[in-house]
Each structure stands twice: as structure tokens, then as C-alpha cells.
Amino acid sequence: MLGKCFRIVGVNILTGDAARAALKRTFADNPVPESVLQRSAALFGERLSPQQAVDRILADVRERGDAALRHWTQLIDGVDIDVVQLPAHLIESARVEPDLHEAILVAIARVRAFHEKQPAGGWIEHTEGGALGQLVRPLERLGVYVPGGLAPLVSSLIHTAVPAVVAGVREIVVATPPGQGGQVHPAILVAAREIGVEAVYRVGGAQAIAALAYGTESIAAVDKIAGPGNQFVVLAKRAVYGSVGIESLPGPTETLVLADDGADARFVAADLLAQAEHNGAEPVLVTDSRELLIEVERELARQLENLPEPNRSWARDSVMTRFKIVLAGDLDEAFELANLYAPEHLCLLLQDAWSYVGKVRRAGGIFVGEASMEALGDYAAGPSHVMPTGGTARFLSPVNVRDFQNIISLIGLNEVTLREVGPHAARLARAEGLEAHARAIEIRLQDGKAH
Amino acid sequence: MLGKCFRIVGVNILTGDAARAALKRTFADNPVPESVLQRSAALFGERLSPQQAVDRILADVRERGDAALRHWTQLIDGVDIDVVQLPAHLIESARVEPDLHEAILVAIARVRAFHEKQPAGGWIEHTEGGALGQLVRPLERLGVYVPGGLAPLVSSLIHTAVPAVVAGVREIVVATPPGQGGQVHPAILVAAREIGVEAVYRVGGAQAIAALAYGTESIAAVDKIAGPGNQFVVLAKRAVYGSVGIESLPGPTETLVLADDGADARFVAADLLAQAEHNGAEPVLVTDSRELLIEVERELARQLENLPEPNRSWARDSVMTRFKIVLAGDLDEAFELANLYAPEHLCLLLQDAWSYVGKVRRAGGIFVGEASMEALGDYAAGPSHVMPTGGTARFLSPVNVRDFQNIISLIGLNEVTLREVGPHAARLARAEGLEAHARAIEIRLQDGKAH
């Protein structure tokens, strides 16, 4: 059958209820991999789940501050950091190739221009009964987490911090795991300088989240923490939520390509592979065309073969273990399945892609047509690439200006409203058993002097 | 000294650094009261912290569904609920006094009118390089938690669900702890009917949050849970965040009254007592006037004496244990302290109150002047009374339309942008080690046929 054609991919083609079951998010607690337990045994002297490990680190940083940061950075990153904050002159003097510098500037400018278009102001309405409104204020101090790993994720910094700059946040600080010798990659530092970041702290993981949330001797606590990270960072963000704000819980990335028989299989395969080379990524293809499936299979094999290492291995791993291929009966069913999945990225490679945008109810971002691929969006299309993963697009939005502003409700009513509405409010207060509330209203009504 | 005047209040007057220290939120883990541990021992057979108890209940509901709901409702609320969902005819037939019904309608209408003014639309901009924008979509299914307790908190339902209705959410369900015999107070049911609530589930506490987050046989999982609750509800909301959205973590309520020597001490005292009658509430008075302090003390004593029971005991408890009185050097210092505290409610009882609104950087709501007291805002001023507590106004907003909508980023670029921006994006991708990303861009550029 069709499935046999996928020699490289080796995954079944899903249809109907099997597709629905595969695309519905279940949020099951996955078993903790043995490797993680072994690693925790080496770090903590006992086998801990990631959550338990995170809780230990959070408690330690809360108690011991900088000493705990140095301890965990030494143990986990293998780096000694005497001074947690990177000296300012290293940010000032950081340099990258002119081409890369220009690309960073282009990305910053486009992300800024996009978010400057977001309507974000407050309002006040004055009537005979007084004034009501919503004031909008920027956050005062934001912490941006920039993941470490094999390469400098300069785009992660740009796509989190720039919307905050547009929102009016004046104090933005960055935490990122240090490389050998406590270095931070110059591309990160150039972007930080261009964005106007206040400070760069060379600390990563749960210990960085703890420091931003609770503060230490060298890191003042922030009001909110934003930015993606690994599992430990995400668990730590959830644990500190309440002491500090968080923008979302970004997990492994995912792309759903929705394509019809007019799509160019080379582009479909290229977009799936661009997704697949991310660690833990889930590429999904939904199509109503059997012919396209066959062509995509050929292209996937060809393009995968031509990728250099280590990217080929990364992409192959995602394709072999997490790739989902769905053959839908028609495009209506295809969009039903896409809405069920609520993908972080939804790529529409359809002949008349624009006409389908209205069918999308749940997604982080919609990438419309061949020239508007996700790889462009990851860097410089304009919208933040920090989009809701794991089905959280059901209730979360991509990072945007609102994430970095608060609303303050403004209630400036006068005696006209007091007389009109006050008695109703007092009645509700008594129905709720709150006598002092009713009296706080009635003392004004009796007084007759409220002004 | 001045402190001696406060015979009833018996609390010290704070100034300068002592005031700053008292008003700064520290988020310390409070020791678990012995009574809570004893109660958990009776329920679980061992002494558990509130978080441990919540985790047990969440896991049980996740595993056993409705059976667990019945079990915990029987144990905690002492009520047998055979059928979790309240039969629809009981919502249809619910009746309250005409006066109360009218008050409910007034509150709904004013909360609706206020939120209809909130700018909440998306935008799309078409340029030579294609289109970019932000689409706005309502959540699909919302769970509203309505606390139980001694009285029906009908206002809690109105102030959470109505902004969601305005946002366009079509499916709103309510969970609330059942009273004797599985009843739900008719005021709640009348409000639910008027708002257009889909279903009322008679289950409360952590078990209700688990059911809304994970789903059971009789409760379909929701996309987001909103509404205030007790400590167990709040801990449960944080624990399920990620599987489901939450709007905030509302804790005990608080009011900071900022008054000068022109304020009417009767109103100041009435507003402080209206706050104080809430369980666990924190009333705060900040003033630059010693004379006002003396008058407020006299009024507090008089008004407290005149309150009926049990409200007098509730209010006295808050005043005796959590009331903070601050004498500021001048109004500038008073506002500095108010911003430091980031109160849920900030009441400005100042001679020229409006002129000070611009000084407020952090608060849930500002109540401007004598006729605009918080007790009115709790019911029918217009803004939602669900406002950020415990200092979370540093990073959270009052419940508003945005809480019930998602943004979807729209990226519909064309070849013009692809050629202009694509090479920069590919450069950034390679700097991040993401070769397949660069190729997904370049395959379009080479093709020359991107359209």
C-alpha cells in the first residue's frame, strides 16, 4: 500500500479516526528516561525526576543565592563563574562578521516593525457618570532566558526581547548558559547590545530561572521571565510562576504542513526537514493528495541524504520517531485535524492558500504560501518565533507586546453613578453576606455629599 | 505616641524603611498551619502539605475520573453527588427576589458594557512585500471556578464569565462546590442563565480544577480555567497550567487606601472594613496626615462596633492581624510605597485624586475619589473585580477580554520579501547551526519560481 512507498520514513500513513487519535494532545506524563535518572544520580546522589531535580535547585538558589549559582553551574555546565554578570566591556567590544551583524540588524528591525503595529494602548471614557478605562503600563524589569546548547540562539533573544522593547520595558536582562571559560557567544552579545539589554548573566537552566525569580546577591529579581528553554527551564518556570510572571511554557517545536496536490514537493520536504533538525521536534504533514505523498517521500530521501552532519542525524531522528503523515479525505477534514492538533506552526502550501486562512481556529502562526515559509519566520519575517507548542495554542498566543504590559483598571465614577448603581451593588453585597461592603456604599449615599 | 491612639487597632504605625520592608512582597513559604495538617491526616491518612494534598487529588481525578470526583466531594464537602452536572431544568427554574435579580442584571450589563469598550481586534497589513498581521480568535471552551463558602459568590461568576462572553467564547462551563443535598445557590444559577453558561458542575476545590483540566466521563476538558478560589484551588491551577490555560493565581484580597488630610475619615474607615471582612484580607492605609490617622482610628472603632456578627469578627481579625498603617513623609513617598506594594485595589481618597493617577505604575485597579469606592467596583462599576493579588500586579492584569482570546500570527509574504530578507535569514540559520533551515529558504531563492 501507500505506506510501503515511505522507505526512508518508514511511518504509517494515518487516516480518519487513527489520524484524530494521533493528533489529539493528551498531556500524558512520559516516563523519565533512564539516562536522565542516571545523570541526576551523578549530580544529586540519588535518582530524581526532572521536577524533583528542579525543585532541589530552586530551593538551593533561594537559600544560598550566588553560591548556589556557582555550585550548579560548575556541576552542570562544567564552568567556574566567579562573577555571574558578564562585564559590560565584553558586551561593548563583541564583534561578529559584518554579514552576520547586518542579518542581526535586519531581524531586529523587522521584529520591531511588526510589533509596533500591534494596537496596545489603553483607553479612558468620560461620561456623565464619571470615567472608566484601562491604563496600560509596561513591565518594569524583564528576564529573558536564552538557551545554550550547540549554537548561539541569537534569534531566541531577538524574538523575545524586541517585543518587550516595543512594549516599553526599560530594564531587560538576559540569562544564558556560559560556554567554556564563562564565555557567551559574540552573536548573542552583539544582539544584546543592539537591543539595549541592561545586563547579561552567564547562568542557565533551573538555576537561572531561580535567580531571576527570587534574586541573588548579583541578580536583582525580575517581574517576568520569558523565552524558551529545555525541559528543566520549563519546569522551573512553572514552579516559580506566581512569585514572578512567565509568558508561556515553550516545549519542543512542531510544524504542521497542510498541502494539496498543487504544492511543490521539494518545498514541502524542505520545510519538514527544517523542522526535523530541531531536537525533539515533531514534523506533521496533512494532505488530501496521495500523489503528493509519494513525491514528498522521494524528496525527503534526497534532501536528507544531502544534509551535512550532524543536521542529517538530527533530522533523521525526528523523521523516524515523531513524523506524522496524515491523508485527509478533503481539505475540510485537513483543517479540522489541524485545528484539533493546534500546531505551533501551520504552513499552508495550498493552491489558493489565502482563501483558507479563515478556517484556522487554533495555531501559533499561519505561514501562507510558498514564499512565506517557517524558516523565514524563525528569523526575520516579523512576528516573534516564540509560539505556543504542545497544543497550548488552544489557550496561548505567540510572544507579543501584550506579554510585556499590564492593564490597570481605572474606576473614577461620580455621584450620578453612585446613586444609580450603588443600591444594586449593596444588594449584591448583602446577598453575598458582606455587610461592610454594603455599608461602605451606603455611607456615601446617606451622606449626600459624595463628590 | 501616635501608636497609642490606636486602641482598637493596636498596630504600629510604619514610616520610612520600616514601611518599605513591610510593604515589599517576599513570597516566603509560610509554615503550614497545624490545623491544615490535622485535616489532611483525617482525609488522607497522613499529614500532607496543601501542595501534596492537591497533587494526590489531581492524580486521582486524572486516573479515576468521576469516581474520584464523587469520592473527594463526599470526603471534603460531605455531599453525595451521583450526577456531577446539575440538571438543566434546575438552572431554568432558579428564582431569586426581584430586587436581587435586577441587581444581577445591572452588574452583568455594566461588566459587559465596560469590556465591550476594550480594543480587542486583530489586524492585517498588506504591503508590496506581502501581508503580516495578528488574527484574534476566542477560546473555544472555558471553565469558570466559582468559590463556595458561606455565601453564593454570584459576583465572582459575573466578573469572570462576562468578559469571556464579550471575547466571543461560546462554551462556558461553571464548577462550584455543592451545598447540602448537592444544591447550588439560586443566585448563582440565575446569573449563569442570564450569562448563557453551558453547564454547571457541582464540584469544587482541587478536584474541580482537575476535572476541568483533564476531563472526566461527565466533564469535557476545557481550554482554560479562570476564577478565584481558596489555597487548594490556586495550587491546583498552577499544577495543571500547561495542560490547560489559567488566567492568574488569585490569592487573598487586599486594598491600599491612599488618603490625605482632605479625606473623610468615615469613608476611609468604611473602605478598610469592607476589605477587612474578607477572609485573609490585608487592609493597608497610607497617608501623609497624622490628623487623619487619629480620625480613622476613632471611625474604625465606631464602625467595627456597629457591624453585625459574623462580619465584625471577620473584620476584627483582619484588622488585628494584617492591617498595615503607613505614615508617609509626603504624597510622593506615599505613591512610591504604593507602587512597591503593587496592590490589587488602590483607592485614592485625595483632594485632587485625578491628578495623581499618572503616578501609579503597579496596581490591579485604581479607585479615584470618594464616589468610586472599591465596594462598588466589587459588584457593578464595570471592570472585572478579579484583579491581581499578592503583588502579582507587577506582571498580571485584571481579568479582561484578552484573557479569553488568542492571537495567531499571520505570515503571508511574497517573493519580494523572500529575496530581500531570505539571505539574511539563511545567514542567521547557519550561525545557529541549522543547515536545513537555511536550505528551506534557499531552495525557494534558487527556484526563482516562488510566487
Side-chain angles (χ1 to χ4, degrees):
Chain A
M1 302 298 295
L2 249 182
K4 272 179 53 192
C5 300
F6 281 74
R7 290 183 305 272
I8 298 303
V9 176
V11 288
N12 289 324
I13 293 169
L14 303 161
T15 60
D17 285 348
R20 255 173 283 279
L23 293 182
K24 192 167 161 58
R25 316 286 186 136
T26 51
F27 306 101
D29 288 323
N30 296 317
V32 179
E34 178 59 26
S35 61
V36 170
L37 292 172
Q38 283 177 9
R39 171 103 171 108
S40 77
L43 287 174
F44 299 92
E46 46 181 318
R47 293 160 64 91
L48 300 181
S49 72
Q51 183 67 63
Q52 290 170 321
V54 161
D55 289 345
R56 292 272 183 97
I57 293 172
L58 293 178
D60 191 32
V61 173
R62 196 163 172 174
E63 198 184 311
R64 296 197 301 135
D66 282 348
L69 294 186
R70 280 191 287 268
H71 172 74
W72 294 108
T73 304
Q74 163 59 225
L75 268 183
I76 295 172
D77 303 302
V79 178
D80 279 314
I81 42 160
D82 270 355
V83 182
V84 178
Q85 181 172 346
L86 195 77
H89 72 87
L90 292 182
I91 301 177
E92 278 316 305
S93 62
R95 294 287 177 274
V96 292
E97 292 290 305
D99 273 6
L100 181 57
H101 195 137
E102 192 192 348
I104 289 171
L105 291 179
V106 168
I108 291 174
R110 287 191 61 97
V111 175
R112 185 193 302 263
F114 178 86
H115 289 91
E116 281 173 348
K117 299 209 179 74
Q118 182 171 9
W123 58 275
I124 302 182
E125 191 183 67
H126 295 270
T127 67
E128 193 200 10
L132 289 170
Q134 293 176 310
L135 308 178
V136 172
R137 298 273 190 273
L139 295 184
E140 302 205 348
R141 183 170 158 86
L142 172 72
V144 174
Y145 187 82
V146 178
L150 299 166
L153 291 183
V154 59
S155 64
S156 186
L157 170 56
I158 294 171
H159 286 246
T160 308
V162 173
V165 170
V166 173
V169 180
R170 263 176 299 183
E171 225 178 314
I172 300 175
V173 300
V174 166
T176 193
Q180 284 309 315
Q183 300 297 310
V184 175
H185 195 283
I188 302 276
L189 298 181
V190 166
R193 185 175 71 225
E194 297 290 355
I195 292 167
V197 159
E198 193 82 8
V200 175
Y201 304 117
R202 39 194 168 183
V203 57
Q207 55 276 22
I209 302 303
L212 293 171
Y214 307 132
T216 69
E217 297 89 330
S218 43
I219 301 182
V222 301
D223 294 323
K224 193 165 189 170
I225 302 172
N230 65 18
Q231 185 191 11
F232 295 90
V233 168
V234 171
L235 290 173
K237 279 173 76 179
R238 184 166 67 186
V240 300
Y241 179 49
S243 301
V244 76
I246 60 174
E247 98 294 12
S248 68
L249 298 168
T253 181
E254 73 223 3
T255 287
L256 190 152
V257 177
L258 203 161
D260 63 11
D261 60 5
D264 188 323
R266 294 172 304 158
F267 299 166
V268 174
D271 289 353
L272 290 168
L273 287 178
Q275 186 61 23
E277 72 176 331
H278 282 296
N279 182 21
E282 185 160 283
V284 182
L285 171 61
V286 179
T287 181
D288 63 346
S289 164
R290 284 168 184 271
E291 292 67 32
L292 183 75
L293 284 185
I294 295 165
E295 288 173 57
V296 168
E297 185 268 332
R298 196 177 306 126
E299 273 298 319
L300 270 178
R302 195 182 63 76
Q303 292 184 25
L304 197 51
E305 194 55 38
N306 288 332
L307 264 183
E309 288 293 353
N311 306 67
R312 181 167 51 195
S313 297
W314 296 339
R316 193 191 299 270
D317 174 63
S318 292
V319 168
M320 298 305 287
T321 58
R322 285 176 301 275
F323 189 22
K324 295 186 169 73
I325 307 172
V326 174
L327 185 61
D330 53 28
L331 286 181
D332 276 342
E333 193 192 15
F335 277 96
E336 178 212 325
L337 292 167
N339 283 319
L340 178 72
Y341 186 71
E344 182 190 10
H345 309 109
L346 175 61
C347 303
L348 303 184
L349 293 176
L350 300 169
Q351 274 161 301
D352 193 12
W354 272 105
S355 69
Y356 293 96
V357 166
K359 286 187 178 290
V360 182
R361 296 195 318 274
R362 296 162 155 191
I366 311 175
F367 299 80
V368 188
E370 289 185 346
S372 203
M373 56 286 186
E374 190 217 320
L376 192 65
D378 283 344
Y379 295 104
S384 174
H385 77 197
V386 182
M387 293 184 177
T389 60
T392 60
R394 292 182 299 128
F395 53 84
L396 287 177
S397 304
V399 159
N400 67 91
V401 173
R402 292 176 185 175
D403 287 316
F404 307 111
Q405 294 179 326
N406 295 326
I407 292 173
I408 301 177
S409 295
L410 183 69
I411 300 105
L413 301 171
N414 61 28
E415 208 178 346
V416 173
T417 304
L418 174 62
R419 300 213 166 276
E420 194 183 304
V421 180
H424 297 296
R427 205 165 289 127
L428 284 163
R430 289 215 168 83
E432 293 188 352
L434 296 174
E435 178 64 24
H437 281 63
R439 294 190 180 190
I441 296 165
E442 288 167 352
I443 195 174
R444 268 88 165 186
L445 286 169
Q446 289 152 8
D447 190 70
K449 274 193 286 186
H451 50 269
Chain B
M1 301 300 293
L2 249 182
K4 271 178 58 192
C5 300
F6 281 73
R7 291 183 304 271
I8 300 300
V9 177
V11 287
N12 289 325
I13 293 170
L14 303 162
T15 58
D17 285 346
R20 254 172 284 279
L23 293 182
K24 192 165 164 56
R25 316 286 186 136
T26 50
F27 306 101
D29 288 321
N30 297 316
V32 180
E34 177 60 26
S35 62
V36 170
L37 292 172
Q38 284 178 9
R39 172 107 170 107
S40 77
L43 287 174
F44 298 91
E46 46 181 320
R47 293 160 63 92
L48 300 181
S49 72
Q51 183 66 61
Q52 290 169 321
V54 161
D55 290 344
R56 292 273 183 100
I57 294 173
L58 293 177
D60 191 32
V61 173
R62 196 163 172 175
E63 197 183 311
R64 297 197 301 135
D66 282 350
L69 294 186
R70 280 191 288 268
H71 172 74
W72 294 109
T73 304
Q74 162 57 221
L75 268 183
I76 295 172
D77 304 301
V79 178
D80 279 314
I81 42 162
D82 271 354
V83 183
V84 178
Q85 183 173 345
L86 196 77
H89 72 87
L90 293 182
I91 301 177
E92 277 317 305
S93 62
R95 294 288 177 275
V96 294
E97 292 290 306
D99 273 7
L100 180 55
H101 195 138
E102 193 194 346
I104 289 171
L105 291 179
V106 167
I108 290 174
R110 288 191 61 96
V111 175
R112 186 192 303 264
F114 177 85
H115 289 91
E116 280 173 348
K117 298 208 180 79
Q118 182 171 7
W123 58 275
I124 302 182
E125 192 183 67
H126 295 270
T127 67
E128 194 200 11
L132 289 170
Q134 293 175 310
L135 308 178
V136 172
R137 298 274 191 272
L139 294 185
E140 302 205 347
R141 184 170 157 86
L142 173 73
V144 174
Y145 187 83
V146 178
L150 300 166
L153 292 183
V154 59
S155 63
S156 185
L157 170 56
I158 294 170
H159 286 249
T160 309
V162 173
V165 170
V166 173
V169 181
R170 264 176 300 183
E171 225 178 313
I172 300 176
V173 300
V174 166
T176 192
Q180 283 310 312
Q183 302 295 311
V184 175
H185 194 283
I188 301 277
L189 298 180
V190 167
R193 186 174 72 227
E194 297 290 355
I195 292 166
V197 161
E198 193 83 6
V200 174
Y201 303 117
R202 37 194 169 183
V203 57
Q207 55 274 24
I209 301 304
L212 293 170
Y214 306 132
T216 69
E217 298 89 330
S218 43
I219 302 182
V222 301
D223 295 321
K224 192 166 189 170
I225 302 172
N230 64 19
Q231 185 191 11
F232 296 90
V233 169
V234 171
L235 289 174
K237 279 174 75 178
R238 184 166 66 185
V240 300
Y241 179 50
S243 301
V244 76
I246 61 173
E247 100 293 12
S248 67
L249 298 169
T253 181
E254 72 222 5
T255 288
L256 190 153
V257 177
L258 203 161
D260 63 11
D261 60 6
D264 188 321
R266 294 171 307 158
F267 299 165
V268 174
D271 291 351
L272 290 169
L273 287 178
Q275 185 61 24
E277 71 176 331
H278 283 295
N279 183 19
E282 184 159 286
V284 182
L285 171 61
V286 178
T287 181
D288 63 344
S289 163
R290 286 168 182 269
E291 292 67 32
L292 183 76
L293 283 185
I294 294 165
E295 288 173 58
V296 168
E297 185 268 332
R298 195 177 306 127
E299 273 298 318
L300 271 178
R302 195 182 64 75
Q303 293 184 25
L304 196 53
E305 192 57 37
N306 288 333
L307 264 184
E309 286 295 347
N311 306 67
R312 181 168 49 194
S313 296
W314 296 339
R316 193 193 299 271
D317 175 62
S318 291
V319 168
M320 298 304 287
T321 59
R322 285 177 302 275
F323 189 23
K324 294 187 168 75
I325 308 172
V326 174
L327 183 63
D330 54 29
L331 287 181
D332 276 342
E333 192 192 16
F335 277 96
E336 178 212 325
L337 291 167
N339 284 319
L340 177 72
Y341 186 70
E344 182 189 10
H345 309 109
L346 175 61
C347 303
L348 303 184
L349 293 175
L350 300 170
Q351 273 161 302
D352 192 13
W354 273 105
S355 69
Y356 293 95
V357 166
K359 285 187 178 289
V360 182
R361 296 195 319 272
R362 298 163 155 189
I366 312 176
F367 299 80
V368 187
E370 288 185 345
S372 203
M373 57 286 189
E374 190 217 320
L376 192 66
D378 283 343
Y379 295 103
S384 173
H385 77 199
V386 182
M387 294 182 175
T389 60
T392 61
R394 292 182 298 130
F395 53 86
L396 287 177
S397 303
V399 158
N400 66 90
V401 173
R402 292 177 186 176
D403 287 316
F404 307 110
Q405 294 177 327
N406 294 325
I407 291 172
I408 301 177
S409 295
L410 183 69
I411 300 104
L413 300 171
N414 61 27
E415 209 180 343
V416 173
T417 304
L418 175 61
R419 300 214 167 275
E420 195 182 303
V421 180
H424 296 297
R427 205 163 289 129
L428 284 162
R430 289 217 168 83
E432 293 189 350
L434 296 173
E435 178 65 22
H437 280 64
R439 294 191 181 190
I441 296 165
E442 286 166 353
I443 195 174
R444 269 88 164 183
L445 285 170
Q446 288 151 10
D447 190 70
K449 272 194 288 187
H451 51 271

